[in-house]
Amino acid sequence: MSLIRSPSTGRTPESLANKHEDWEIHFNESIIATFFALAAPAYVNRRVRDGIDALICGSPCRVKARSSYRSRRRAIDFVFPEGESLGVRRRGLQMTLEDQNGTVRARRSGIHRWETDDISERTMCAIAFVELSGVGSILSNPLLRNL
């Protein structure tokens, strides 16, 4: 699995000023996900909180993060137009990837160690995006985040 970052295809004044990038995740030399108009790595969290568009396995997707003082309200959501959604949440000391029904598809225990029985491309793309971009820090407590 590899990540290729390139300048954003959108040439709006905002994207030029903020140096937006398009990220492509490749697996076995084929593109499995493209994330549009991401900011430079230091500003990815802010950009994801605003919401970004993506193509995951050929279907459009909206990725949006929510931050709150209450841990159950913090999430990174991947919403697909067919009504399916995936969400990364923190449960205790673990991160979990859940579908819209609350079924846990993957669980992260330890540093960069995900355990899953669901090997679907959407699950792998969501896990890869969270790990490669570092947006998992949004799920930590906002009061302790910058310590």
Side-chain angles (χ1 to χ4, degrees), residues 45 74 76 90 95 130 134-142 145:
N45 286 356
R74 293 189 288 252
I76 302 165
R90 185 172 296 278
M95 265 196 246
V130 169
V135 296
S137 64
I138 289 176
L139 301 177
S140 62
N141 188 326
R145 192 176 296 153

Side-chain angles (χ1 to χ4, degrees), residues 36-135:
F36 301 105
L38 274 170
Y43 301 101
V44 169
N45 286 356
R46 182 183 319 157
R47 190 76 183 112
V48 173
R49 270 188 294 231
D50 294 340
I52 59 167
D53 294 318
L55 270 176
I56 295 181
C57 306
S59 70
C61 173
R62 182 82 174 158
V63 181
K64 187 160 176 57
R66 293 176 286 145
S67 182
S68 173
Y69 291 116
R70 293 181 177 229
S71 62
R72 65 178 170 214
R73 292 186 184 170
R74 293 189 288 252
I76 302 165
D77 294 317
F78 298 80
V79 180
F80 297 92
E82 309 88 58
E84 183 184 355
S85 66
L86 297 171
V88 179
R89 290 167 177 70
R90 185 172 296 278
R91 301 286 183 237
L93 298 175
Q94 296 180 341
M95 265 196 246
T96 60
L97 178 70
E98 303 172 355
D99 61 11
Q100 68 270 14
N101 300 325
T103 306
V104 176
R105 289 192 175 186
R107 178 172 281 118
R108 177 182 171 192
S109 56
I111 299 175
H112 305 297
R113 183 173 173 211
W114 286 84
E115 299 170 358
T116 183
D117 293 330
D118 179 22
I119 309 293
S120 70
E121 287 184 341
R122 287 183 175 180
T123 300
M124 291 298 153
C125 290
I127 291 171
F129 177 72
V130 169
E131 288 297 321
L132 293 172
S133 66
V135 296

Side-chain angles (χ1 to χ4, degrees), residues 5-12 14-16 18-23 35-39 47:
R5 295 169 38 195
S6 61
S8 179
T9 55
R11 306 313 294 170
T12 63
E14 178 193 7
S15 68
L16 291 172
N18 294 325
K19 304 285 187 202
H20 287 171
E21 300 175 343
D22 291 344
W23 288 16
F35 298 91
F36 301 105
L38 274 170
R47 190 76 183 112

